[in-house]
Amino acid sequence: MTELTEPVPQPSTPSADPTPEPPSARGREPTSGAEPGIWRRMRMWGIAHAVDDLYQGLVPATVPYFVLDRHYSYVAASGLTLAATLGSSIPQPFIGLAVDRMRLGWLAAAGVALAGLGLGLSGLMPSYWAVWCLILLSGLGVAMFHPSAGKAARDSAGDSAAAMSVFAAGGSVGFFLAPVLATPALIAWGVGATALFIPPAALTAFVLLRHRRRQDAAAPGSVRTGADRWRPFAVLTCVEVVRSVAFFGVNTFIELYWIRHLHASRALAGAALTCFLAGGVGGTLLGGRLADRIGMVRTVQLGAALMLPMLAGLLLTPGGGAPLLFALLTGVCLNLPFAVLVKLGQDYLPARPGTAAGVTLGLGVSVGGLISPVLGVIADAHGPRGALASLAVVPPIALALGLLLPEPGREEKPAA
């Protein structure tokens, strides 16, 4: 009897049976077992992105106070916005190329520090050209941050679009917080209050540098390989540019539309802008979750398809609370593909994640600000409502371009 009970330890055979586990269990373990570590790192990168883009959002928030305190003309004021846009958009693809070819992990920390220092000192300079150069340097700091941080965030997020959406949503949070934090300080102390925004940049730079040292000591950075697919990446860049035009258009004219067309108070117009920006944060996070469930390309197409009815609702509802709801929903739909476009760009250029982040987070996002003067001409002729109505051409273009995007995994498998 004892001899019969000894052979029973056959459970060793199922535990040693590796056939069902490796393909699925190993693929899913990082999202469950290592999930707390991943989300902790993504929260750090999301906060850093929020601080960096805070300085990009502070430029339009401070320009009116330069006009009031320094008596700058409207041309001079628009020159400050142009300086920030030039500094933050044009250099980013080239910085991305440098990040992919050299070890420049410290560049994210340096970028945040320069962005905060440039904008913080701008309000203390008496000369217009000194202010212009400092805002240009602040924009350059923003440009330095995105490719390096985008590459590091992708390494931390892995293949999870939801995790990557935390990093992307940080930028939307920064834009949202800029007028909220700047307006009370600028009203109380004038443009010299920009100096109050230097400490967040210094603290964020310190945290990123310390994280970089720990990362280098723990393990070398991961290297992604694969064939770069420039044609779909070019289409994706066009989608991002078109989306950026719509974002800057609504962001610029939504308050004026509320005041001039709906005859609302300035407080209610500010609430409309707040709803639009808050919807952008929620849409960025929701887009990452959707992409993990229905696919990245479908999420991009869904955002483009929903944009037109939301924009129509914003312009056609007569008043009350309905326009505020549509302002929120417009922000959600407009930003639904934001994080997805960042990750999708890095999937199309697996060997150049820094370049992809520089284009999708930098050039593609900021170029809408360069086209906004055209919307200004339309607004001069037909009012803010006419400028917003002209954005109705954007969703069909974005949807048509989205239909040309291939899902990365489906085409790479046969090629492999």
Side-chain angles (χ1 to χ4, degrees):
M1 299 289 290
T2 53
E3 289 179 8
L4 291 173
T5 53
E6 269 185 314
V8 176
Q10 279 181 343
S12 61
T13 53
S15 64
D17 180 33
T19 49
E21 281 191 5
S24 59
R26 284 190 183 178
R28 292 182 185 175
E29 253 178 7
T31 56
S32 55
E35 198 168 339
I38 290 176
W39 291 108
R40 194 183 310 115
R41 290 192 296 272
M42 295 314 297
R43 281 195 295 269
M44 182 201 72
W45 284 114
I47 293 171
H49 195 187
V51 174
D52 181 77
D53 281 16
L54 171 71
Y55 299 106
Q56 199 168 8
L58 282 173
V59 175
T62 56
V63 163
Y65 294 90
F66 276 106
V67 174
L68 295 173
D69 293 1
R70 304 285 179 83
H71 306 291
Y72 290 168
S73 66
Y74 291 123
V75 174
S78 62
L80 297 181
T81 305
L82 179 63
T85 305
L86 289 175
S88 62
S89 59
I90 296 175
Q92 289 206 45
F94 304 103
I95 295 174
L97 288 171
V99 167
D100 288 329
R101 294 186 179 186
M102 297 176 280
R103 293 180 62 86
L104 299 174
W106 51 268
L107 204 60
V112 174
L114 183 59
L117 192 63
L119 188 126
L121 294 177
S122 65
L124 305 178
M125 296 294 110
S127 166
Y128 172 79
W129 288 110
V131 174
W132 194 91
C133 290
L134 284 169
I135 289 181
L136 179 71
L137 287 176
S138 179
L140 180 60
V142 172
M144 291 165 59
F145 172 84
H146 283 137
S148 179
K151 181 180 179 180
R154 177 60 194 273
D155 287 341
S156 297
D159 289 329
S160 171
M164 198 64 185
S165 71
V166 175
F167 169 72
S172 302
V173 171
F175 271 103
F176 172 74
L177 289 178
V180 174
L181 298 177
T183 302
L186 292 167
I187 290 174
W189 297 293
V191 291
T194 57
L196 297 174
F197 295 97
I198 296 177
L203 179 61
T204 304
F206 171 76
V207 171
L208 291 181
L209 284 175
R210 193 172 71 167
H211 171 74
R212 180 65 187 176
R213 290 196 196 99
R214 287 179 177 177
Q215 194 178 36
D216 289 343
S222 62
V223 178
R224 292 180 177 271
T225 58
D228 292 330
R229 302 163 67 193
W230 290 99
R231 184 172 297 177
F233 182 77
V235 176
L236 178 141
T237 303
C238 293
V239 174
E240 182 60 77
V241 168
V242 169
R243 192 201 70 86
S244 174
V245 171
F247 175 82
F248 272 89
V250 177
N251 190 45
T252 302
F253 292 105
I254 188 170
E255 287 188 280
L256 291 172
Y257 168 71
W258 241 258
I259 294 170
R260 300 279 175 85
H261 185 77
L262 298 180
H263 307 291
S265 64
R266 293 189 178 187
L268 194 57
L273 177 61
T274 301
C275 288
F276 172 70
L277 295 175
V281 176
T284 304
L285 293 171
L286 178 62
R289 299 282 180 179
L290 276 177
D292 283 341
R293 292 178 178 271
I294 67 173
M296 291 185 288
V297 172
R298 285 184 180 178
T299 304
V300 174
Q301 295 166 352
L302 180 64
L306 293 175
M307 199 188 310
L308 184 58
M310 297 307 140
L311 191 60
L314 179 68
L315 295 176
L316 297 178
T317 47
L324 288 177
L325 176 62
F326 277 107
L328 177 73
L329 294 176
T330 301
V332 170
C333 297
L334 197 53
N335 284 272
L336 202 65
F338 180 41
V340 181
L341 290 170
V342 176
K343 183 180 181 298
L344 195 57
Q346 292 176 326
D347 286 343
Y348 287 149
L349 302 184
R352 293 177 173 84
T355 303
V359 173
T360 54
L361 283 171
L363 182 63
V365 171
S366 303
V367 76
L370 299 177
I371 303 174
S372 57
V374 177
L375 297 175
V377 173
I378 298 174
D380 284 338
H382 304 284
R385 192 172 190 269
L388 291 175
S390 68
L391 297 177
V393 302
V394 169
I397 296 173
L399 182 58
L401 291 170
L403 293 173
L404 301 176
L405 292 174
E407 195 73 46
R410 290 181 183 174
E411 292 197 0
E412 284 170 13
K413 285 179 182 178

